[in-house]
């Protein structure tokens, strides 16, 4: 743990300098784009991706819509829970931000002090934890969109190292923590949320949150309406045949 806390010369620090060193050679607009994406842009994209998945899930049949909506509810809940778990974990490890331990780093985020969790410590990365929890939670609901969400979470981790505010192992820890919270607690969480979502789906007022439209109803049959005789046959032919 001491080596992790002090961040001595090792592969972790070497990767930090290599990735962050690209910020010195990159144009200013790229640094601004990476900083914006790493601070809140990717997280916003993940939230929009969850909403897009919810939009598509509402068009499924009732059973599939309930399952997808339950998973989509669990995704942000898991992200919040993972962030809560991260707070005492940061205090326990007590690893300082990389720019406090090493010189020559290009810190792109001037507002790093307003981060997720305890901003004084870096292990594990709160941004990466939340991003990965949303990505994996989205994967539970929709495999294709989930893969895209996990890809965005990986990009979030790279951005945090590029910005000089996290070590690579901070990112790896965030990816692991976000994944673990979603998958380990998913069976219990989905079992508890599923009856609630089914009740919402059956509600007249809130049912559209889960599934677009109502149940299909059979069309009424008008027995009093006479049938149209076939072409070329006169109504009198039916009487004569009788």
């Amino acid at each position: 743990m001491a080596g992790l806390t002090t961040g001595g010369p090792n592969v972790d620090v070497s990767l930090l300098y290599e990735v962050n060193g690209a910020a010195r050679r990159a144009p200013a607009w790229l640094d601004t784009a990476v900083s914006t994406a790493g601070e809140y842009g990717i997280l916003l994209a993940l939230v929009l991706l969850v909403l897009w998945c919810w939009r598509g899930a509402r068009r499924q049949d009732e059973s599939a819509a309930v399952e997808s909506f339950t998973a989509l509810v669990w995704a942000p809940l898991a992200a919040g829970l993972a962030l809560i778990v991260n707070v005492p974990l940061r205090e326990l490890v007590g690893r300082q931000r990389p720019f406090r331990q090493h010189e020559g780093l290009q810190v792109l985020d001037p507002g790093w002090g307003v981060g997720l969790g305890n901003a004084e410590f870096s292990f594990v990365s709160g941004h990466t934890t939340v991003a990965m929890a949303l990505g994996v939670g989205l994967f539970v609901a929709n495999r294709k969109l989930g893969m895209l969400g996990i890809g965005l979470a990986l990009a979030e981790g790279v951005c945090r190292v590029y910005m000089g505010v996290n070590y690579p192992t901070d990112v790896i820890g965030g990816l692991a923590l976000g994944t673990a919270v979603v998958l380990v607690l998913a069976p219990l969480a989905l079992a508890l949320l599923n009856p609630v979502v089914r009740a919402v789906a059956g509600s007249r007022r809130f049912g559209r949150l889960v599934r677009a439209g109502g149940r299909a109803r059979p069309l009424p049959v008008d027995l009093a309406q006479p049938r149209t005789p076939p072409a070329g046959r006169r109504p009198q032919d039916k009487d004569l045949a009788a």
Side-chain angles (χ1 to χ4, degrees):
M1 188 67 69
L4 176 63
T5 305
T6 59
N10 50 33
V11 177
D12 194 22
V13 178
S14 299
L15 286 175
L16 168 65
Y17 274 106
E18 288 183 8
V19 176
N20 178 258
R24 292 186 177 277
R25 302 184 297 270
W29 65 265
L30 180 59
D31 290 346
T32 302
V34 173
S35 179
T36 302
E39 186 63 23
Y40 55 82
I42 291 179
L43 294 180
L44 177 60
L46 281 165
V47 172
L48 294 177
L49 199 60
V50 170
L51 293 177
W52 180 263
C53 183
W54 166 69
R55 179 178 178 272
R58 294 176 66 244
R59 300 178 179 180
Q60 302 178 90
D61 60 82
E62 185 174 353
S63 178
V66 168
E67 292 182 3
S68 298
F69 189 81
T70 303
L72 291 175
V73 171
W74 169 233
L77 291 178
L81 181 59
L83 191 60
I84 293 175
V85 173
N86 187 23
V87 173
L89 181 59
R90 284 189 174 190
E91 294 288 345
L92 177 64
V93 177
R95 188 184 200 184
Q96 295 291 327
R97 292 282 177 178
F99 55 82
R100 294 187 179 276
Q101 298 289 329
H102 308 281
E103 297 179 354
L105 292 176
Q106 181 80 1
V107 182
L108 299 181
D109 181 18
W112 68 270
V114 188
L116 297 179
N118 189 334
E120 183 68 19
F121 303 126
S122 66
F123 187 89
V124 297
S125 170
H127 284 76
T128 308
T129 299
V130 172
M132 193 61 174
L134 289 174
V136 175
L138 187 60
F139 182 81
V140 175
N142 185 293
R143 297 295 187 266
K144 292 183 179 179
L145 293 180
M147 290 300 296
L148 179 57
I150 293 174
L152 288 174
L154 296 175
E156 175 69 34
V158 174
C159 288
R160 300 303 290 179
V161 178
Y162 184 96
M163 293 162 62
V165 295
N166 284 108
Y167 292 94
T169 47
D170 297 338
V171 169
I172 295 174
L175 296 174
L177 178 60
T179 302
V181 170
V182 174
L183 296 184
V184 172
L185 299 180
L188 176 61
L190 296 180
L192 294 176
L193 290 172
N194 190 269
V196 178
V197 174
R198 289 191 179 278
V200 173
S203 170
R204 291 185 177 181
R205 176 175 297 183
F206 302 106
R208 290 183 177 272
L209 291 174
V210 180
R211 183 166 182 259
R215 296 175 179 270
R217 298 180 179 180
L219 295 176
V221 179
D222 188 2
L223 298 178
Q225 183 177 359
R227 296 182 179 179
T228 303
R233 182 177 178 183
R234 295 175 300 176
Q236 293 85 350
D237 295 341
K238 182 177 179 181
D239 299 331
L240 294 175

